[in-house]
Amino acid sequence: MKRRAFLKTTAIGTGMIAMGSRSDIFSMPGLTPANQTIGNKLPLWRGFNILDFFTVDRYISDKEKFLATEQDFKWMADWGFDFVRIPIAYPCYLNYDPAIGRNIYPEETVDFREEAIEAIEKVVYAANKYNLHVSLNLHRAPGFCINAHFHEPFNLWLDNEAQQAFYQHWDMWAKRFKNISPKLLSFDLVNEPCFKEDMNDQFSPSTPIPGEIYRKIAKGCLEVIHKYNADRLVIADGNHGGNLVIPELMDLPIGQSCRGYFPHYVSHYRASWVWKNPDDAPRPVWPGVINGEKFNRQVLEEFYQPWIDLVNQGVGVHCGECGCYKETPHDIFLAWFGDQLDILTSHNIGWGLWNFRGSFGLLDSERKDVDYEDWYGHKLDRKLLNILQQH
């Protein structure tokens, strides 16, 4: 496809619609389930991230992957949870195959592959079967991902061509799922936006996205999404990696999503994508002093205060990701995490643990200091489950 034709076919979202009051969408009957709490315009969703489509690897139906199963969703529901976030790397559902050994072309970023899209659709329906609300998230969007490992042909925050491609993805998903109830599905636009000096370097320094740029792109997404279902709930991850509230979006019908990784000394101890040399990571404590900084519950409450203020101003807030990498000592993880969940839920903010099965997870986390319980062939962290159920 020629570049001119590509721009023509992806010219979606350039004419922005006038947005009404955010209270209209947040007060819908479909978004006031039994666990809705006073003060937060979003339900107190509690659950997990699943990583079926998290990598850029091209989805292949018969390839063995660490896939969520219907049994996983049944366990989540049986344990009292009601939320599943699906972070997706968009190349996994394209015809482009990274294995061919060349970088992706701009026009290939919107060349969708039906087999992979159907696979994502099936996972959504499987979760919905157990009344789990699904948050569909582009963890990697055309032109941006907070983690590198893939060479983008343009920059989402700077290039109109990338923005048009981004709108086309959400247009496709909105049309695909237009008949699913807002009680069962929401869209999380892009994971942890930030402006990286070198977006192809995972360790590159980053800064917040200029608010007017974030607003422009969010409004473009709203237009294409609400074209198919005016009640579809849309979530925007906090600026600068999910950590900062977004004042520029407060008048739009958009919820905001924070993160539960503060301080990273605890949550990402020895994680290879955070530390160039994991041996340089200072050993975490909770509460206590790490790398010369004092951390305790009060400091954690101060970190979340802007998000609590946002709730009090009538904006829906949810913590889309939280948790702790497997290298953090288990007792320290649980002490810190208990404080974090207590702060969030006491202010009616729900959460999604990263992840269900895996190195941050409830099952099969491969921690070396946990007395696991056998759970139908999986290793269950019962102490973690107890803390999750208490919040």
Side-chain angles (χ1 to χ4, degrees), residues 30-317:
L31 284 175
T32 53
N35 66 345
Q36 174 71 63
T37 52
I38 303 301
N40 193 344
K41 296 295 185 180
L42 290 181
L44 188 67
W45 290 314
R46 301 156 55 252
F48 306 89
N49 285 254
I50 61 168
L51 308 188
D52 297 38
F53 309 100
F54 174 64
T55 71
V56 299
D57 296 337
R58 194 167 185 261
Y59 177 83
I60 302 174
S61 60
D62 60 353
K63 179 180 178 182
E64 283 196 25
K65 299 182 70 174
F66 192 55
L67 293 176
T69 65
E70 186 169 322
Q71 185 65 68
D72 290 340
F73 298 136
K74 183 179 186 303
W75 289 336
M76 292 177 194
D78 288 347
W79 284 330
F81 303 107
D82 59 1
F83 175 82
V84 171
R85 182 171 179 261
I86 307 178
I88 302 171
Y90 79 91
C92 81
Y93 60 82
L94 299 179
N95 282 312
Y96 167 79
D97 186 355
I100 64 178
R102 65 160 175 80
N103 294 335
I104 192 170
Y105 299 141
E107 59 269 21
E108 291 176 312
T109 65
V110 291
D111 184 14
F112 306 131
R113 191 163 53 95
E114 183 64 20
E115 175 194 26
I117 292 171
E118 286 181 356
I120 294 171
E121 188 176 51
K122 288 178 182 178
V123 172
V124 171
Y125 289 145
N128 286 168
K129 178 180 177 180
Y130 293 93
N131 292 316
L132 300 172
H133 178 92
V134 172
S135 173
L136 197 69
N137 162 252
L138 285 186
H139 187 275
R140 175 176 289 278
F144 173 75
C145 184
I146 194 167
N147 295 321
H149 309 300
F150 184 83
H151 190 278
E152 293 289 343
F154 36 33
N155 187 313
L156 177 61
W157 315 114
L158 298 178
D159 302 325
N160 180 65
E161 193 173 10
Q163 293 162 19
Q164 296 300 324
F166 187 44
Y167 301 150
Q168 187 159 343
H169 280 259
W170 281 120
D171 182 271
M172 181 272 293
W173 287 120
K175 183 177 181 180
R176 191 89 183 191
F177 291 123
K178 64 182 179 180
N179 294 321
I180 294 185
S181 167
K183 290 191 295 183
L184 293 175
L185 180 70
S186 59
F187 292 151
D188 180 353
L189 299 179
V190 59
N191 183 71
E192 299 176 5
C194 62
F195 192 86
K196 297 175 73 70
E197 290 183 10
D198 181 356
M199 67 179 185
N200 295 310
D201 179 2
Q202 71 182 62
F203 297 110
S204 177
S206 65
T207 56
I209 301 300
E212 65 275 12
I213 293 178
Y214 201 160
R215 180 181 175 85
K216 170 196 170 186
I217 295 172
K219 286 185 71 175
C221 292
L222 275 176
E223 177 177 308
V224 299
I225 291 169
H226 287 170
K227 177 175 65 176
Y228 296 101
N229 187 326
D231 291 334
R232 180 68 61 215
L233 181 61
V234 174
I235 306 291
D237 282 8
N239 209 336
H240 205 197
N243 293 305
L244 303 179
V245 300
I246 317 154
E248 296 82 4
L249 302 187
M250 288 178 60
D251 65 317
L252 301 179
I254 297 180
Q256 298 194 27
S257 179
C258 62
R259 288 295 176 267
Y261 297 135
F262 178 82
H264 74 284
Y265 296 120
V266 176
S267 65
H268 286 72
Y269 176 57
R270 295 185 58 82
S272 61
W273 61 97
V274 173
W275 304 93
K276 288 185 177 180
N277 182 359
D279 291 337
D280 292 338
R283 188 168 180 81
V285 295
W286 191 264
V289 176
I290 311 173
N291 202 30
E293 297 182 68
K294 182 179 180 180
F295 294 103
N296 53 31
R297 182 181 174 116
Q298 180 181 347
V299 173
L300 200 55
E301 288 175 338
E302 292 171 355
F303 174 80
Y304 284 111
Q305 191 59 51
W307 296 97
I308 296 166
D309 292 342
L310 197 63
V311 168
N312 293 334
Q313 293 175 73
V315 177
V317 174

